Every structure is written in structure tokens, then in C-alpha cells.
Short mmCIF file of all heavy atoms in Angstrom, two decimals:
data_model
loop_
_atom_site.label_atom_id
_atom_site.label_comp_id
_atom_site.label_asym_id
_atom_site.label_seq_id
_atom_site.Cartn_x
_atom_site.Cartn_y
_atom_site.Cartn_z
N THR O 51 -1.14 -111.21 39.56
CA THR O 51 0.03 -111.80 40.21
C THR O 51 1.30 -111.04 39.86
O THR O 51 1.41 -110.45 38.79
CB THR O 51 0.23 -113.28 39.80
OG1 THR O 51 0.37 -113.35 38.38
CG2 THR O 51 -0.92 -114.15 40.25
N ILE O 52 2.23 -111.10 40.78
CA ILE O 52 3.57 -110.53 40.60
C ILE O 52 4.56 -111.66 40.84
O ILE O 52 4.40 -112.44 41.78
CB ILE O 52 3.80 -109.35 41.56
CG1 ILE O 52 2.87 -108.19 41.17
CG2 ILE O 52 5.27 -108.91 41.55
CD1 ILE O 52 2.90 -107.03 42.14
N THR O 53 5.58 -111.72 39.99
CA THR O 53 6.57 -112.78 40.09
C THR O 53 7.95 -112.18 40.33
O THR O 53 8.34 -111.21 39.68
CB THR O 53 6.59 -113.62 38.80
OG1 THR O 53 5.27 -114.12 38.57
CG2 THR O 53 7.55 -114.78 38.90
N LEU O 54 8.70 -112.81 41.25
CA LEU O 54 10.09 -112.44 41.51
C LEU O 54 10.96 -113.56 40.98
O LEU O 54 10.79 -114.72 41.36
CB LEU O 54 10.36 -112.27 43.01
CG LEU O 54 9.95 -110.95 43.67
CD1 LEU O 54 8.46 -110.75 43.61
CD2 LEU O 54 10.44 -110.91 45.09
N THR O 55 11.89 -113.22 40.10
CA THR O 55 12.81 -114.20 39.54
C THR O 55 14.23 -113.75 39.83
O THR O 55 14.65 -112.67 39.39
CB THR O 55 12.62 -114.31 38.01
OG1 THR O 55 11.24 -114.57 37.74
CG2 THR O 55 13.46 -115.43 37.44
N ALA O 56 14.95 -114.55 40.61
CA ALA O 56 16.33 -114.22 40.96
C ALA O 56 17.28 -114.89 39.97
O ALA O 56 17.09 -116.05 39.61
CB ALA O 56 16.64 -114.69 42.38
N ALA O 57 18.28 -114.15 39.55
CA ALA O 57 19.29 -114.69 38.65
C ALA O 57 20.65 -114.15 39.07
O ALA O 57 20.74 -113.09 39.69
CB ALA O 57 18.99 -114.29 37.21
N GLY O 58 21.68 -114.89 38.75
CA GLY O 58 23.02 -114.46 39.13
C GLY O 58 23.41 -115.09 40.44
O GLY O 58 22.66 -115.85 41.05
N THR O 59 24.58 -114.79 40.84
CA THR O 59 25.07 -115.33 42.10
C THR O 59 25.73 -114.22 42.89
O THR O 59 26.71 -113.63 42.44
CB THR O 59 26.10 -116.46 41.87
OG1 THR O 59 27.12 -115.97 40.99
CG2 THR O 59 25.46 -117.68 41.25
N ASN O 60 25.21 -113.94 43.99
CA ASN O 60 25.77 -113.03 44.98
C ASN O 60 26.55 -111.87 44.38
O ASN O 60 27.74 -111.96 44.29
CB ASN O 60 26.65 -113.83 45.93
CG ASN O 60 25.86 -114.89 46.64
OD1 ASN O 60 24.70 -114.70 46.95
ND2 ASN O 60 26.47 -116.01 46.88
N PRO O 61 25.95 -110.76 44.05
CA PRO O 61 24.56 -110.49 44.41
C PRO O 61 23.58 -110.97 43.34
O PRO O 61 23.93 -111.03 42.16
CB PRO O 61 24.52 -108.97 44.51
CG PRO O 61 25.54 -108.51 43.52
CD PRO O 61 26.63 -109.56 43.56
N ASP O 62 22.40 -111.29 43.80
CA ASP O 62 21.32 -111.63 42.89
C ASP O 62 20.83 -110.38 42.17
O ASP O 62 20.90 -109.28 42.71
CB ASP O 62 20.11 -112.18 43.65
CG ASP O 62 20.19 -113.66 43.93
OD1 ASP O 62 21.06 -114.34 43.35
OD2 ASP O 62 19.36 -114.14 44.72
N LYS O 63 20.31 -110.58 41.00
CA LYS O 63 19.50 -109.58 40.32
C LYS O 63 18.10 -110.16 40.33
O LYS O 63 17.89 -111.29 39.91
CB LYS O 63 19.99 -109.36 38.90
CG LYS O 63 21.33 -108.65 38.83
CD LYS O 63 21.69 -108.32 37.41
CE LYS O 63 22.99 -107.61 37.21
NZ LYS O 63 23.82 -107.32 38.31
N VAL O 64 17.16 -109.42 40.88
CA VAL O 64 15.79 -109.90 41.01
C VAL O 64 14.92 -109.15 40.00
O VAL O 64 14.85 -107.91 40.04
CB VAL O 64 15.25 -109.69 42.44
CG1 VAL O 64 13.82 -110.20 42.55
CG2 VAL O 64 16.15 -110.39 43.45
N THR O 65 14.29 -109.89 39.10
CA THR O 65 13.38 -109.30 38.12
C THR O 65 11.96 -109.42 38.67
O THR O 65 11.53 -110.51 39.04
CB THR O 65 13.50 -109.99 36.76
OG1 THR O 65 14.85 -109.90 36.31
CG2 THR O 65 12.59 -109.31 35.74
N ILE O 66 11.27 -108.29 38.72
CA ILE O 66 9.91 -108.24 39.23
C ILE O 66 8.98 -108.00 38.04
O ILE O 66 9.05 -106.95 37.40
CB ILE O 66 9.75 -107.12 40.28
CG1 ILE O 66 10.73 -107.34 41.44
CG2 ILE O 66 8.32 -107.04 40.78
CD1 ILE O 66 10.86 -106.17 42.38
N THR O 67 8.15 -109.00 37.73
CA THR O 67 7.23 -108.92 36.61
C THR O 67 5.81 -109.20 37.10
O THR O 67 5.61 -109.59 38.25
CB THR O 67 7.59 -109.93 35.51
OG1 THR O 67 7.58 -111.24 36.07
CG2 THR O 67 8.96 -109.64 34.91
N SER O 68 4.85 -109.03 36.20
CA SER O 68 3.46 -109.35 36.54
C SER O 68 2.78 -109.95 35.32
O SER O 68 3.35 -109.99 34.23
CB SER O 68 2.70 -108.10 36.98
OG SER O 68 2.42 -107.27 35.87
N ASP O 69 1.54 -110.38 35.52
CA ASP O 69 0.78 -110.92 34.40
C ASP O 69 0.43 -109.83 33.38
O ASP O 69 0.02 -110.13 32.27
CB ASP O 69 -0.47 -111.67 34.89
CG ASP O 69 -1.36 -110.84 35.79
OD1 ASP O 69 -0.84 -110.21 36.73
OD2 ASP O 69 -2.57 -110.81 35.57
N LEU O 70 0.63 -108.56 33.73
CA LEU O 70 0.39 -107.45 32.80
C LEU O 70 1.68 -106.84 32.26
O LEU O 70 1.64 -106.02 31.35
CB LEU O 70 -0.42 -106.34 33.49
CG LEU O 70 -1.81 -106.72 34.00
CD1 LEU O 70 -2.46 -105.51 34.68
CD2 LEU O 70 -2.68 -107.23 32.86
N ASP O 71 2.82 -107.20 32.84
CA ASP O 71 4.11 -106.60 32.48
C ASP O 71 5.18 -107.67 32.46
O ASP O 71 5.74 -108.01 33.49
CB ASP O 71 4.46 -105.49 33.49
CG ASP O 71 5.82 -104.86 33.23
OD1 ASP O 71 6.41 -105.07 32.16
OD2 ASP O 71 6.29 -104.13 34.14
N SER O 72 5.45 -108.20 31.28
CA SER O 72 6.42 -109.29 31.18
C SER O 72 7.87 -108.80 31.21
O SER O 72 8.79 -109.59 31.42
CB SER O 72 6.19 -110.09 29.90
OG SER O 72 6.36 -109.25 28.77
N VAL O 73 8.09 -107.50 31.04
CA VAL O 73 9.44 -106.94 31.09
C VAL O 73 9.83 -106.64 32.53
O VAL O 73 10.88 -107.05 33.01
CB VAL O 73 9.56 -105.68 30.21
CG1 VAL O 73 10.93 -105.05 30.35
CG2 VAL O 73 9.26 -106.02 28.76
N GLY O 74 9.00 -105.91 33.24
CA GLY O 74 9.20 -105.64 34.65
C GLY O 74 10.37 -104.74 34.97
O GLY O 74 10.84 -103.97 34.14
N THR O 75 10.83 -104.89 36.21
CA THR O 75 11.91 -104.08 36.76
C THR O 75 12.97 -105.01 37.32
O THR O 75 12.64 -106.00 37.98
CB THR O 75 11.39 -103.19 37.91
OG1 THR O 75 10.33 -102.36 37.40
CG2 THR O 75 12.46 -102.32 38.50
N VAL O 76 14.23 -104.68 37.09
CA VAL O 76 15.32 -105.47 37.65
C VAL O 76 15.89 -104.72 38.86
O VAL O 76 16.24 -103.54 38.76
CB VAL O 76 16.43 -105.73 36.62
CG1 VAL O 76 17.60 -106.48 37.26
CG2 VAL O 76 15.89 -106.50 35.43
N VAL O 77 15.96 -105.40 39.99
CA VAL O 77 16.54 -104.84 41.21
C VAL O 77 17.85 -105.57 41.47
O VAL O 77 17.86 -106.78 41.68
CB VAL O 77 15.59 -105.01 42.42
CG1 VAL O 77 16.25 -104.50 43.70
CG2 VAL O 77 14.27 -104.29 42.17
N GLY O 78 18.94 -104.83 41.42
CA GLY O 78 20.24 -105.41 41.74
C GLY O 78 20.47 -105.34 43.23
O GLY O 78 20.46 -104.25 43.81
N LEU O 79 20.64 -106.49 43.87
CA LEU O 79 20.86 -106.51 45.31
C LEU O 79 22.30 -106.09 45.64
O LEU O 79 23.19 -106.13 44.78
CB LEU O 79 20.58 -107.89 45.87
CG LEU O 79 19.17 -108.44 45.64
CD1 LEU O 79 19.00 -109.78 46.35
CD2 LEU O 79 18.11 -107.45 46.11
N SER O 80 22.53 -105.70 46.86
CA SER O 80 23.85 -105.29 47.32
C SER O 80 24.84 -106.45 47.23
O SER O 80 24.43 -107.62 47.21
CB SER O 80 23.77 -104.81 48.78
OG SER O 80 22.89 -103.72 48.89
N PRO O 81 26.15 -106.15 47.18
CA PRO O 81 27.15 -107.21 47.07
C PRO O 81 26.96 -108.31 48.11
O PRO O 81 26.72 -108.03 49.28
CB PRO O 81 28.47 -106.48 47.29
CG PRO O 81 28.19 -105.10 46.79
CD PRO O 81 26.76 -104.83 47.19
N SER O 82 27.04 -109.55 47.64
CA SER O 82 26.94 -110.77 48.46
C SER O 82 25.54 -111.04 49.01
O SER O 82 25.36 -111.89 49.87
CB SER O 82 27.95 -110.76 49.61
OG SER O 82 29.26 -110.69 49.10
N ASN O 83 24.52 -110.32 48.54
CA ASN O 83 23.15 -110.55 49.00
C ASN O 83 22.37 -111.38 47.98
O ASN O 83 22.59 -111.26 46.77
CB ASN O 83 22.41 -109.23 49.22
CG ASN O 83 22.85 -108.52 50.48
OD1 ASN O 83 23.67 -109.02 51.25
ND2 ASN O 83 22.33 -107.34 50.70
N HIS O 84 21.45 -112.18 48.49
CA HIS O 84 20.57 -112.97 47.64
C HIS O 84 19.23 -113.16 48.35
O HIS O 84 19.13 -112.95 49.56
CB HIS O 84 21.18 -114.34 47.31
CG HIS O 84 21.49 -115.18 48.50
ND1 HIS O 84 22.67 -115.08 49.20
CD2 HIS O 84 20.77 -116.12 49.13
CE1 HIS O 84 22.65 -115.92 50.22
NE2 HIS O 84 21.50 -116.57 50.20
N LEU O 85 18.19 -113.53 47.59
CA LEU O 85 16.90 -113.81 48.21
C LEU O 85 17.07 -114.95 49.19
O LEU O 85 17.75 -115.94 48.90
CB LEU O 85 15.85 -114.18 47.17
CG LEU O 85 15.24 -113.05 46.35
CD1 LEU O 85 14.20 -113.61 45.38
CD2 LEU O 85 14.61 -111.99 47.23
N GLY O 86 16.46 -114.82 50.36
CA GLY O 86 16.59 -115.83 51.40
C GLY O 86 15.56 -116.93 51.31
O GLY O 86 14.69 -116.94 50.43
N ALA O 87 15.69 -117.85 52.25
CA ALA O 87 14.81 -119.02 52.31
C ALA O 87 13.35 -118.59 52.50
O ALA O 87 13.06 -117.60 53.18
CB ALA O 87 15.23 -119.92 53.46
N ASN O 88 12.46 -119.32 51.89
CA ASN O 88 11.01 -119.13 52.02
C ASN O 88 10.50 -117.81 51.47
O ASN O 88 9.37 -117.41 51.76
CB ASN O 88 10.55 -119.28 53.48
CG ASN O 88 10.89 -120.62 54.07
OD1 ASN O 88 10.90 -121.63 53.37
ND2 ASN O 88 11.22 -120.65 55.34
N SER O 89 11.31 -117.10 50.69
CA SER O 89 10.84 -115.85 50.09
C SER O 89 9.75 -116.16 49.07
O SER O 89 9.84 -117.13 48.33
CB SER O 89 11.98 -115.12 49.37
OG SER O 89 12.84 -114.53 50.30
N ALA O 90 8.75 -115.30 49.03
CA ALA O 90 7.69 -115.44 48.02
C ALA O 90 8.31 -115.24 46.65
O ALA O 90 9.11 -114.32 46.45
CB ALA O 90 6.60 -114.41 48.26
N THR O 91 7.96 -116.09 45.70
CA THR O 91 8.39 -115.88 44.32
C THR O 91 7.19 -115.55 43.44
O THR O 91 7.36 -114.97 42.38
CB THR O 91 9.14 -117.11 43.76
OG1 THR O 91 8.33 -118.26 43.93
CG2 THR O 91 10.47 -117.30 44.48
#
């Protein structure tokens, strides 16, 4: 499994982790962007 965790407020920073990688990668979204409705987490 892969997990997306959004934190912050506009723009979101989305941390992408997995069951094998608890540190993962942080993706900083563009200004004023955030994960939208019904996005897979």
C-alpha cells in the first residue's frame, strides 16, 4: 500500500509513504492548491 497524507493549508504538502517506507517523499503543491474531493489517500 501507498499512503498520501496532506498537511498544511494552501498549498498542501503531500507526504507519500508506503508500508515499506515510513519516511517517503514530500511533494509541495503549487500556491493555493490542495488535494481535491474523493482523492485516494
Side-chain angles (χ1 to χ4, degrees):
T51 58
I52 293 173
T53 304
L54 279 63
T55 307
T59 53
N60 300 325
D62 274 348
K63 289 186 180 2
V64 180
T65 303
I66 302 169
T67 58
S68 74
D69 55 312
L70 299 179
D71 177 13
S72 61
V73 176
T75 302
V76 176
V77 176
L79 301 184
S80 300
S82 300
N83 285 356
H84 59 274
L85 283 181
N88 302 326
S89 286
T91 54

